[in-house]
Amino acid sequence: SSNVWTADMLTKVMAYFHAQEVMFTLSSLQMSIKSYLKNLLYQPRQLLSEFQQLDQQQFQTAMKYLFNSRKDHLEVGNISLDWDKTRERIFQSPGVNRTLFLVTLDKCFLALSVLDCVDILSQVLRVSAVNYLQPDVIGSLPNVLQEDAFRNLSTVFKDLYDKTSAKTQRALYGWMKQILQKSCNMSEFNESTSWVSAENLWILGRYMVHLPLEEIMKISLNEIRLFISYDNATKQLDTVYGITPELAQAFLERINSSGFDMRNTSTIYRQDSFSFSFMAVLGLLVCFYDDMEQMDAAVARALLHQMIKCNQLRGFQAEVQKLKSQLLNIAMQNQTLNDILGSLSDAVVGLTSSQLESLSPDAVHNAIATLNQVSGWAKSQVMILSSKYLSYEKVLSFYTVSQMGALVTGISTQSFYSMNPKDLSQIIQGTTPQYLSDLSPAQQQGILRKIAASGDFSSSVKDIQGAFFKEISLSDLWKQTGYNSSMMKEKELRRSQALCLYELLSKKYYPVDLLSTGQLVKGVTCQLIESMGTDFFLNTFKFFEKNLHLLSPYQVNCLAWKFWKVSNASIPPFLLSVLPTEYLEYVSGPLCVPFIESLGKTEMDLLNPSLHKKNAVLQKVQECLNGSIADEYDVDLLGNLICHLPPAFLRSRMSLKAMATALYQFKLCQQLSHEQKTEIKYKLLELYGSPNNWTAETTLDVGPFIALMSKGELNVLAEKFPDIILQIAKTIGPISSAEELLSTVFESVSNASANIESSLSRPDCLGTRAPSSDEIIKLAEANAFWSVQELKCMDAGTFDKNVELLGTVSGFNGSQLIALKEKAKQVWGSLPDWKSYHIVSLGRIALALTEHEIQELDLHSIDTISVLSQQTEWTLTQARSILQGFLEDSGQTISTLKSFDLVGLGAILCALNSTEIMSIRTAEFSAAVARIGLLFCSTPVLRQFKKMTESVFSTATSWNGSTLQDIGTIAGGLNEDELKAFDKNLMTYFQPIAIRCIPPEIFQTLSPEQIANLGPENAAMVTRLQREHLNASQLQSLQLALDGARTSTPETQTGASTTQAVQTPAPSAPCLSGLGIWLCAVFTLHLPF
């Protein structure tokens, strides 16, 4: 109604109901409307139908209050409504948002001003454009729009480009083209001229990449010239990330033909106060500039400067690298690398280690302003350049480090440790915070040890930000004072640190101050949660809910039990899933939708680590969905849950209508099983038909799931869309997950190059194809398909340039790695001559080194060892050789090792014998214990580490929760008596990785009470062998832990059966079924809900 509400209006409403012989009190009317409104939010399909029945005036009123109201509260007679909260709840519901989107398309353009409708659409779309903007919906967009409205709406679509599917992008291009063509005087256009004017090109924005080649070639040269002169043309061309070389070259050709001579340096640098580069106008088109004929060095350098942005392209990186390499050669004509290093922009990343090694320290120093901003460096390149720069600077100071930018990671750990502590403190205070997080754990430890040893640690601790803080040892934390709650907001904490700091700070601060920091929630114990008063708990629960991703499954379980105890009627539905399975019985009827919706926004593995429990929850989800995923509304509701649905359910219970929307959600799933992927494949074939008939857009949208297609189907796709297949293959991961796809990519790239180059210096390489740089970059993981002979015949320069990339290929077998190792010897000379950066660049290739070869290497640097220790496939004898090599070459013994040496050695420490372990200095071990606790060493080694840990934290039987949490896998070295002696309440503090390290014969000595208190996550880590050693009583306790049963308080015995029912919304009154009354509810009598 357009009437102004007055104090007596409610009385009139009540009189109306009484006249209809519907007997209501005001409070029961309000409750009924509140319940009805709540139900509508959980039934978006019904809401859509209600909305569609609104007359024009009612629709206007609804839209006005939903989208244009500036009020936080609405006054209705003597009732004040919290309207802000209501709207927030409406917009948080994915289903309601879809309804608002569909109803806006359906009714808005008839009822409201076009500009208002465009504004409403943009608000709704920003919530989840991908799901709502399906190609079939684009057909519902108005095809006649006034100019302002069209521009506004097309701007919205340009902003959402990356959030929409390839098919939708193509459909939106079609819609824009249709309107733009109508706005043109088509009589002026014919076969030879294009509808694409300068203004239309600007309106299309990123959608210009969908223009056909022949259309681009028809664009008038005047219009091209006009477009290039626009102020925002550069900004637009900087964002055409999906452009192909063919389209880019077509645009470049038109630009060139329109009167710009791109090879004339005067058009590149105008001689006035504005140093203007015409190249800058070209945006990402420069990435495909290929007119090299008679180009001079100045033009080549100007182009290279513009090509920094080319790494943002969706693909074609091999082509870009090739172009940069050619430009590099031109830029260096008649000049030395030393002279022009600073003017090569990020093309310097393409220089080989031998080229970088040839640079003078002077040249690196002079070019540091360029070098420090370049991204994409390989570790070996950073090591060389840092070393050159520091050899010029002589003294490593705060100023020196602050100049180095990305090259900071090349400073050796020993150099950091040798620095003045005050300089180190300044570095920590944030000169280059983004680079500090890129330092290796050994480098970070080197910095921390030096500051800690200086006695100035307390003042520095507060300045250590982000993940760097996680490297501080517990013993160092305990020694410091002066902590406050606000300094915790910018830090990332290990769980053991959070436990320690929460306990420390709780003596000075209120729990609200601590919980509001975020990271400190990791340190909240179950006992603390249980001791909270009801009101306090309910008021602070929002802090836990906001930081759910930081909590352990055990903490979530404790929150659920607490909530059940104090207010089971209002328990957030997702918490029912972490209680024992019988509590799922409370999820039915009106609770189903909020249950699924809240689970879909949470990480399932956090709530239910155990497979049995997960299956029970998924069974309940399927029941709530009435046994099927009917349409896109169900997909919206499921959210992340769709990743966990069983294969059989996907096969027989998911409609094709739902599949089109679900595809995007499936692509976000982290760990789909092979069986789930197979069912998704069959659904995709049902939805899109045979891959033989797919378009480029379909192929892009199917994305990683093409890996499931047959070899024949993949061959067809690779032939039709080689670049798209290459782009998808780059995102696939290790060879084991996509062997057919990667072999197809290998064949496709091989056939395209048909390159039978061979090394003439080797007679056995005649007729053998040698891998080229171009192919190696394109193939990535698919390089695993080169034969041993082909790898042997690789050109020395190609190997030197691409060794780091080859070292990342996980699919190489032993023979291929040996071939590459032999190639390294051939290129770099004998092993004793190899520099640290050579060894570091090998990656997995280093695994082919024999025990004897390792002994020949120079392994004096802990930074070299730190990189080698990241490989997980070393044999014990190889690891032992690396350890011996490091000790001999660095002139150290085990007893002189510093904490950063221990951290850098990493998994190599598993090769230590018991005598060696016991000779590690306690203080150094103490600083590194949390890192050592991440290693999976043999039981005898863990036992020795446990003994060392006792020298730091006292005897095992006295360890507290934060100690147990800190030492990780070292707890796997506890003996029977020590394990049995632990209080049952300490069992949840074992790290999950520690549980599987406990030998089965020792694990079986745990009492049933201890096992019942493991907590869901630790219980889920119990191995099959450990389980086989348990008796019936222990197995029963294990099941209790897996189920999240309550073990620590008397409420256990009462169980689910004796508690009151979870409150469900009351059914709506029959008289309130029309949306006229719903509007009355929303805009008049609404109470917060």
Side-chain angles (χ1 to χ4, degrees):
S1 167
S2 57
N3 296 332
V4 177
W5 274 86
T6 57
D8 66 339
M9 192 62 81
L10 293 177
T11 315
K12 290 179 183 175
V13 171
M14 293 307 296
Y16 167 79
F17 280 122
H18 289 160
Q20 305 294 316
E21 297 186 352
V22 178
M23 291 301 114
F24 264 122
T25 63
L26 183 58
S27 64
S28 67
L29 174 64
Q30 287 172 337
M31 280 307 294
S32 220
I33 289 174
K34 178 180 172 182
S35 166
Y36 177 71
L37 182 57
K38 200 168 190 175
N39 278 340
L40 269 181
L41 286 180
Y42 291 142
Q43 295 169 21
R45 296 179 192 83
Q46 186 188 339
L47 179 57
L48 178 62
S49 136
E50 299 274 22
F51 253 122
Q52 285 165 337
Q53 291 167 39
L54 291 180
D55 65 28
Q56 206 158 315
Q57 189 179 7
Q58 289 170 329
F59 182 80
Q60 284 175 353
T61 308
M63 292 292 126
K64 173 188 158 192
Y65 276 99
L66 280 168
F67 293 100
N68 294 325
S69 173
R70 297 283 176 267
K71 296 183 176 180
D72 297 338
H73 287 78
L74 296 178
E75 304 296 327
V76 180
N78 55 359
I79 297 175
S80 177
L81 314 175
D82 185 346
W83 185 231
D84 245 11
K85 204 167 187 179
T86 306
R87 272 193 308 198
E88 188 185 334
R89 179 69 191 87
I90 288 168
F91 292 128
Q92 274 176 353
S93 163
V96 173
N97 266 304
R98 182 180 289 280
T99 286
L100 290 174
F101 172 67
L102 294 174
V103 85
T104 304
L105 275 186
D106 186 36
K107 295 179 76 82
C108 188
F109 289 96
L110 302 172
L112 297 179
S113 84
V114 177
L115 284 171
D116 281 345
C117 292
V118 167
D119 183 47
I120 289 167
L121 270 181
S122 71
Q123 287 186 58
V124 178
L125 279 173
R126 288 180 205 283
V127 178
S128 180
V130 180
N131 281 348
Y132 306 157
L133 273 182
Q134 292 294 331
D136 56 330
V137 172
I138 310 300
S140 311
L141 291 170
N143 52 16
V144 178
L145 273 178
Q146 62 194 61
E147 191 178 343
D148 281 359
F150 172 66
R151 282 179 180 242
N152 289 359
L153 193 50
S154 60
T155 300
V156 171
F157 291 144
K158 284 190 279 190
D159 290 346
L160 295 172
Y161 190 92
D162 287 323
K163 294 184 177 179
T164 49
S165 68
K167 278 191 162 184
T168 299
Q169 289 164 3
R170 169 66 73 181
L172 283 168
Y173 161 75
W175 172 77
M176 291 165 82
K177 172 186 167 185
Q178 181 190 11
I179 292 184
L180 289 171
Q181 282 182 327
K182 277 184 185 169
S183 68
C184 297
N185 182 352
M186 285 312 286
S187 61
E188 293 175 19
F189 299 99
N190 54 42
E191 294 276 323
S192 60
T193 56
S194 171
W195 57 273
V196 184
S197 63
E199 192 172 10
N200 289 353
L201 206 49
W202 178 75
I203 290 171
L204 280 172
R206 291 181 63 181
Y207 291 89
M208 67 188 274
V209 301
H210 296 281
L211 285 164
L213 206 54
E214 54 276 16
E215 194 68 63
I216 296 168
M217 298 314 290
K218 281 167 33 182
I219 300 174
S220 143
L221 297 180
N222 284 336
E223 297 296 334
I224 283 284
R225 206 166 22 245
L226 182 57
F227 173 71
I228 286 295
S229 70
Y230 285 172
D231 287 346
N232 47 17
T234 309
K235 190 177 174 188
Q236 178 167 322
L237 291 172
D238 273 348
T239 61
V240 289
Y241 311 120
I243 200 157
T244 62
E246 296 74 29
L247 291 182
Q249 276 151 14
F251 275 117
L252 285 169
E253 193 178 318
R254 293 311 277 163
I255 291 167
N256 214 12
S257 303
S258 71
F260 290 103
D261 178 5
M262 289 183 264
R263 284 170 297 166
N264 183 339
T265 50
S266 64
T267 61
I268 293 173
Y269 297 110
R270 288 190 185 158
Q271 304 303 310
D272 55 25
S273 56
F274 301 99
S275 178
F276 171 80
S277 165
F278 171 66
M279 292 294 177
V281 178
L282 297 178
L284 291 174
L285 300 182
V286 297
C287 307
F288 303 103
Y289 185 88
D290 63 350
D291 186 6
M292 303 288 169
E293 218 175 304
Q294 298 176 325
M295 183 184 284
D296 68 21
V299 177
R301 287 199 291 276
L303 260 172
L304 283 172
H305 182 66
Q306 289 306 319
M307 288 183 75
I308 277 192
K309 56 190 100 160
C310 296
N311 59 3
Q312 297 174 66
L313 285 169
R314 290 282 181 268
F316 310 107
Q317 288 307 314
E319 288 81 350
V320 170
Q321 295 301 331
K322 195 172 182 179
L323 176 57
K324 282 185 179 178
S325 187
Q326 291 168 332
L327 290 169
L328 202 54
N329 291 336
I330 296 170
M332 288 166 61
Q333 279 171 0
N334 305 322
Q335 304 209 52
T336 67
L337 194 51
N338 280 327
D339 295 333
I340 61 161
L341 184 64
S343 60
L344 297 180
S345 197
D346 74 341
V348 288
V349 169
L351 296 170
T352 63
S353 51
S354 42
Q355 285 175 304
L356 292 175
E357 189 59 85
S358 71
L359 290 167
S360 69
D362 225 17
V364 174
H365 177 264
N366 295 336
I368 197 69
T370 302
L371 300 175
N372 67 10
Q373 299 195 36
V374 172
S375 59
W377 290 116
K379 176 74 177 165
S380 58
Q381 293 176 310
V382 173
M383 287 170 75
I384 296 168
L385 289 170
S386 292
S387 153
K388 298 267 178 197
Y389 180 69
L390 296 176
S391 68
Y392 176 92
E393 288 290 343
K394 303 289 189 290
V395 178
L396 189 55
S397 65
F398 163 66
Y399 173 77
T400 319
V401 173
S402 67
Q403 296 301 299
M404 292 178 72
L407 300 182
V408 161
T409 55
I411 300 173
S412 74
T413 299
Q414 191 58 54
S415 299
F416 275 126
Y417 188 70
S418 305
M419 277 180 75
N420 181 311
K422 283 196 166 48
D423 282 329
L424 285 173
S425 295
Q426 277 184 288
I427 291 169
I428 280 174
Q429 282 163 28
T431 47
T432 50
Q434 71 272 35
Y435 302 119
L436 283 182
S437 58
D438 294 335
L439 296 178
S440 72
Q443 289 170 311
Q444 293 182 345
Q445 184 64 221
I447 292 172
L448 290 173
R449 283 315 280 154
K450 187 57 176 271
I451 297 174
S454 72
D456 189 31
F457 202 38
S458 288
S459 58
S460 300
V461 163
K462 64 178 183 294
D463 298 315
I464 299 174
Q465 305 299 341
F468 199 168
F469 193 85
K470 290 172 87 167
E471 296 302 321
I472 300 175
S473 70
L474 272 193
S475 42
D476 278 333
L477 273 187
W478 285 333
K479 290 174 198 163
Q480 309 314 319
T481 54
Y483 296 117
N484 62 56
S485 59
S486 60
M487 71 167 64
M488 295 299 147
K489 287 186 178 168
E490 306 300 322
K491 304 185 192 316
E492 216 175 301
L493 308 177
R494 297 197 307 276
R495 198 167 296 284
S496 57
Q497 290 173 320
L499 284 162
C500 171
L501 287 166
Y502 194 99
E503 188 183 345
L504 202 65
L505 290 166
S506 62
K507 292 166 185 163
K508 293 200 295 184
Y509 296 93
Y510 291 113
V512 172
D513 297 327
L514 304 183
L515 295 175
S516 63
T517 63
Q519 287 279 326
L520 278 175
V521 298
K522 292 178 181 175
V524 177
T525 63
C526 239
Q527 288 86 335
L528 200 69
I529 292 169
E530 284 177 5
S531 67
M532 289 177 178
T534 299
D535 290 344
F536 178 78
F537 173 76
L538 294 174
N539 289 331
T540 54
F541 181 74
K542 61 186 176 201
F543 294 118
F544 293 113
E545 199 167 23
K546 184 181 170 189
N547 295 296
L548 214 53
H549 61 289
L550 299 177
L551 300 175
S552 69
Y554 182 62
Q555 285 175 302
V556 177
N557 181 252
C558 295
L559 288 170
W561 277 118
K562 178 69 176 181
F563 224 123
W564 184 261
K565 180 183 172 187
V566 303
S567 181
N568 61 23
S570 64
I571 187 169
F574 75 90
L575 286 181
L576 290 169
S577 74
V578 304
L579 295 174
T581 46
E582 59 265 29
Y583 285 78
L584 291 170
E585 291 166 20
Y586 291 101
V587 179
S588 62
L591 260 188
C592 262
V593 174
F595 175 71
I596 297 178
E597 188 184 314
S598 58
L599 273 181
K601 292 176 180 174
T602 317
E603 186 43 62
M604 181 73 157
D605 292 331
L606 164 69
L607 300 178
N608 296 294
S610 119
L611 191 61
H612 163 73
K613 187 76 174 295
K614 197 181 288 181
N615 289 339
V617 172
L618 291 172
Q619 188 56 47
K620 175 55 71 176
V621 168
Q622 291 167 58
E623 280 173 33
C624 278
L625 290 169
N626 295 323
S628 71
I629 305 176
D631 57 18
E632 57 271 45
Y633 277 109
D634 285 340
V635 176
D636 290 343
L637 181 63
L638 280 164
N640 299 332
L641 268 179
I642 206 163
C643 305
H644 301 279
L645 292 172
F649 188 74
L650 295 177
R651 180 192 320 137
S652 55
R653 300 294 183 172
M654 185 171 193
S655 74
L656 288 185
K657 192 178 181 191
M659 184 63 202
T661 305
L663 176 57
Y664 171 76
Q665 199 66 46
F666 281 131
K667 281 158 80 173
L668 296 178
C669 298
Q670 299 291 313
Q671 289 175 311
L672 289 170
S673 69
H674 178 69
E675 292 73 22
Q676 283 175 308
K677 288 178 183 173
T678 303
E679 296 307 334
I680 291 168
K681 175 184 95 166
Y682 288 130
K683 281 288 174 198
L684 288 170
L685 292 174
E686 213 180 322
L687 183 65
Y688 296 132
S690 162
N692 298 348
N693 305 321
W694 286 2
T695 61
E697 286 76 28
T698 303
T699 310
L700 270 170
D701 286 342
V702 171
F705 294 112
I706 64 166
L708 304 162
M709 303 301 161
S710 71
K711 186 76 169 124
E713 290 164 335
L714 286 168
N715 286 339
V716 171
L717 290 173
E719 201 171 320
K720 282 166 71 177
F721 313 116
D723 295 325
I724 292 173
I725 298 301
L726 212 56
Q727 189 180 326
I728 293 170
K730 291 261 187 186
T731 65
I732 284 287
I735 196 164
S736 55
S737 61
E739 190 162 353
E740 293 279 32
L741 171 62
L742 293 174
S743 79
T744 305
V745 164
F746 182 78
E747 288 157 19
S748 170
V749 170
S750 305
N751 296 341
S753 7
N755 176 12
I756 315 274
E757 287 174 26
S758 58
S759 169
L760 298 178
S761 60
R762 293 188 53 165
D764 58 335
C765 284
L766 285 171
T768 301
R769 196 157 127 264
S772 68
S773 277
D774 200 33
E775 290 169 316
I776 290 169
I777 293 167
K778 281 182 181 173
L779 289 171
E781 190 62 31
N783 278 298
F785 289 94
W786 293 110
S787 71
V788 170
Q789 185 60 23
E790 286 167 332
L791 292 173
K792 282 180 180 174
C793 294
M794 191 190 307
D795 175 73
T798 304
F799 176 82
D800 201 22
K801 196 170 185 177
N802 299 289
V803 60
E804 305 249 359
L805 199 160
L806 293 167
T808 63
V809 176
S810 66
F812 279 138
N813 62 32
S815 308
Q816 289 168 309
L817 293 175
I818 289 169
L820 290 166
K821 173 194 73 177
E822 294 303 324
K823 177 61 66 177
K825 288 185 191 176
Q826 182 192 326
V827 176
W828 298 333
S830 64
L831 293 166
D833 296 334
W834 287 11
K835 302 278 199 303
S836 286
Y837 64 78
H838 287 134
I839 301 167
V840 159
S841 67
L842 286 171
R844 280 191 76 241
I845 301 168
L847 294 168
L849 292 163
T850 64
E851 191 181 344
H852 176 67
E853 287 171 328
I854 291 168
Q855 286 165 1
E856 287 189 64
L857 296 172
D858 175 5
L859 297 177
H860 76 278
S861 163
I862 191 57
D863 301 290
T864 308
I865 305 298
S866 177
V867 173
L868 290 176
S869 71
Q870 287 165 23
Q871 297 301 330
T872 55
E873 302 161 78
W874 295 113
T875 65
L876 196 58
T877 52
Q878 283 176 311
R880 190 75 205 167
S881 284
I882 293 170
L883 177 68
Q884 290 303 135
F886 170 62
L887 293 173
E888 286 167 20
D889 295 343
S890 64
Q892 297 202 75
T893 62
I894 301 288
S895 62
T896 64
L897 293 179
K898 300 264 191 308
S899 61
F900 53 80
D901 293 319
L902 298 173
V903 168
L905 280 161
I908 305 297
L909 289 174
C910 294
L912 289 168
N913 62 40
S914 54
T915 313
E916 289 168 333
I917 292 173
M918 296 318 286
S919 63
I920 298 171
R921 278 183 293 176
T922 304
E924 305 305 326
F925 183 85
S926 166
V929 71
R931 278 274 163 195
I932 295 170
L934 298 174
L935 306 177
F936 291 97
C937 300
S938 66
T939 304
V941 171
L942 291 178
R943 283 186 181 141
Q944 292 305 314
F945 282 147
K946 189 266 302 180
K947 285 182 186 170
M948 277 301 299
T949 307
E950 288 184 305
S951 65
V952 177
F953 296 120
S954 184
T955 55
T957 48
S958 66
W959 291 348
N960 61 15
S962 55
T963 302
L964 263 179
Q965 179 64 219
D966 204 50
I967 64 171
T969 56
I970 296 173
L974 291 162
N975 63 36
E976 296 177 22
D977 294 333
E978 289 162 340
L979 201 56
K980 278 194 296 192
F982 279 116
D983 184 276
K984 63 179 183 180
N985 290 323
L986 284 175
M987 299 311 293
T988 59
Y989 295 103
F990 280 87
Q991 276 193 40
I993 52 171
I995 298 296
R996 60 173 48 191
C997 291
I998 301 171
E1001 64 278 8
I1002 291 183
F1003 188 79
Q1004 70 179 355
T1005 63
L1006 287 170
S1007 70
E1009 290 74 23
Q1010 284 176 306
I1011 292 174
N1013 279 274
L1014 278 170
E1017 192 176 18
N1018 283 348
M1021 295 300 274
V1022 174
T1023 65
R1024 186 180 55 79
L1025 265 177
Q1026 286 171 329
R1027 200 183 271 263
E1028 284 171 5
H1029 279 68
L1030 300 181
N1031 62 34
S1033 169
Q1034 288 171 313
L1035 286 170
Q1036 192 179 2
S1037 292
L1038 183 61
Q1039 195 54 53
L1040 285 173
L1042 286 167
D1043 272 354
R1046 191 169 202 156
T1047 52
S1048 56
T1049 54
E1051 281 83 358
T1052 313
Q1053 285 72 40
T1054 61
S1057 55
T1058 58
T1059 45
Q1060 70 186 78
V1062 177
Q1063 186 182 29
T1064 57
S1068 55
C1071 71
L1072 298 179
S1073 56
L1075 201 108
I1077 296 297
W1078 179 77
L1079 274 174
C1080 166
V1082 172
F1083 308 120
T1084 62
L1085 308 176
H1086 172 65
L1087 300 174
F1089 60 90

